[in-house]
Amino acid sequence: MSAISRSREKWVLLLPAILVLSFITVLPFFQTLWTSFTDAEITAREQQVNWIGLENYIWALTDPDFLDALGRTLYFTVVSVGLEGVLGIAVALLLNQQFRGRMFLRIIIILPWAVPTIVNAVAWRLIYHPDYGALNSLLLQLGLIDSYTSWLGDPDRALNMVILADVWKNFPLVAYIALAAMQTIPGDLLKAAAIEGAGAWKRFRSITLPWIIGPMLVVLILRTIEAFRVFDIIYVMTRGGPSDGTKTASFYVYQEYFSYLRSGSGASYAVLVAGISAVLILAYYAGVRRDQRGA
């Protein structure tokens, strides 16, 4: 079979997947992109849609509420992914040690990640409940608080409590990726470093961390992309409140589209969020390629 025939055969085999992806991804994206340049609203079937150019984007980039939502999204992303990275590596170091019950602990650790996001959000909302929540009861018995607290009722505190719930669910993934990478470190290398007098911190900094940095880069960038698009846990736990204290960019898009029925401006917000996500994806690929060149 000639090279041209093999190339044609590959394209024929790929054609069904390309068509499916075009219908579920490419076409909706261009439809959203076109809508973002109009004043379309979801109000009636018979509606005259007018082309308004960049007006929606100018409004979005000068909208203080949307910029605040982007700031909260950035804060949520940086803090949650940072905590997941630190906690994940710490747990991986623990699970990489030899001790009785290690396999049982490895199974227990993965359970939060296996729980669906909606179930996790509902559980943490009950834990934070101001009247009968487990967190209030525990802290009150320990003497750390004097009275029950509305953890999700304070705009300055609610986002941090949602971050805690998100970190609880997702740090096991980071821990398992780090653990898998640590398992590939040659034991003789660590033993040689210990014989040379390197302490635990120096061995971690000089051997373990450089060894696992590639896989950690991949998982943390993927988590960054997911965290930047956070919506479901916000919707279940706070609905963006109180006083918009947990309203992220994706939740802002949802409200613009389905609460205020302004599909034109909602589409422009969605395109901006997708554009920022695309930048994060490019950073992911750049990081992977750099890691491959280093390898």
Side-chain angles (χ1 to χ4, degrees):
M1 184 181 293
S2 66
I4 297 178
S5 299
R6 287 196 297 269
S7 178
R8 288 177 178 175
E9 182 181 2
K10 293 177 182 178
W11 282 107
V12 170
L13 294 175
L14 288 173
L15 184 60
I18 293 174
L19 291 176
V20 171
L21 288 175
S22 298
F23 278 108
I24 67 175
T25 304
V26 179
L27 291 180
F29 172 77
F30 282 106
Q31 175 65 32
T32 302
L33 184 63
W34 178 85
T35 304
S36 69
F37 294 106
T38 68
D39 61 352
E41 295 183 357
I42 311 175
T43 54
R45 293 183 179 180
E46 299 296 332
Q47 177 189 8
Q48 182 179 358
V49 177
N50 301 309
W51 179 273
I52 59 176
L54 295 174
E55 185 174 326
N56 284 329
Y57 290 95
I58 295 173
W59 172 264
L61 294 175
T62 57
D63 182 2
D65 292 335
F66 180 65
L67 296 179
D68 287 344
L70 280 178
R72 283 187 290 270
T73 304
L74 182 61
Y75 175 80
F76 180 95
T77 302
V78 171
V79 176
S80 63
V81 175
L83 290 175
E84 289 164 17
V86 173
L87 186 59
I89 292 177
V91 171
L93 288 170
L94 172 64
L95 297 179
N96 199 37
Q97 305 302 313
Q98 295 289 341
F99 58 89
R100 178 177 293 184
R102 182 180 64 168
M103 293 305 299
F104 176 75
L105 185 58
R106 288 181 177 182
I107 296 173
I108 294 298
I109 288 295
I110 199 64
L111 290 181
W113 183 69
V115 173
T117 302
I118 301 301
V119 177
N120 177 70
V122 172
W124 277 95
R125 189 176 64 183
L126 293 176
I127 291 173
Y128 292 149
H129 198 279
D131 295 327
Y132 49 79
L135 181 60
N136 273 326
S137 178
L138 175 63
L139 295 180
L140 195 63
Q141 292 180 18
L142 293 176
L144 298 178
I145 58 175
D146 298 326
S147 60
Y148 276 27
T149 302
S150 179
W151 299 102
L152 297 177
D154 184 352
D156 297 327
R157 183 167 47 200
L159 187 58
N160 291 323
M161 306 312 293
V162 176
I163 289 174
L164 177 60
D166 186 71
V167 170
W168 169 258
K169 172 174 172 53
N170 291 298
F171 90 88
L173 174 63
V174 181
Y176 267 76
I177 296 297
L179 177 62
M182 291 177 188
Q183 296 286 305
T184 64
I185 302 176
D188 294 340
L189 184 61
L190 294 172
K191 290 179 181 178
I195 293 173
E196 291 294 330
W201 169 249
K202 189 173 182 180
R203 292 198 302 271
F204 171 77
R205 186 184 60 187
S206 303
I207 299 175
T208 303
L209 187 58
W211 196 279
I212 69 174
I213 194 65
M216 290 301 297
L217 175 68
V218 174
V219 70
L220 289 180
I221 293 180
L222 288 175
R223 279 296 306 133
T224 298
I225 296 171
E226 292 180 358
F228 191 83
R229 298 184 292 110
V230 63
F231 171 79
D232 42 8
I233 193 171
I234 297 289
Y235 182 83
V236 174
M237 292 187 68
T238 63
R239 296 292 200 276
S243 301
D244 294 341
T246 60
K247 184 185 289 187
T248 58
S250 294
F251 197 88
Y252 199 96
V253 173
Y254 161 78
Q255 282 194 325
E256 192 72 13
Y257 238 114
F258 299 105
S259 297
Y260 307 139
L261 306 180
R262 295 192 287 259
S263 55
S265 59
S268 65
Y269 293 129
V271 171
L272 289 174
V273 173
I276 298 174
S277 299
V279 172
L280 297 176
I281 293 173
L282 291 176
Y284 159 71
Y285 281 116
V288 171
R289 291 184 61 183
R290 183 177 60 182
D291 179 60
Q292 290 175 343
R293 286 197 300 267

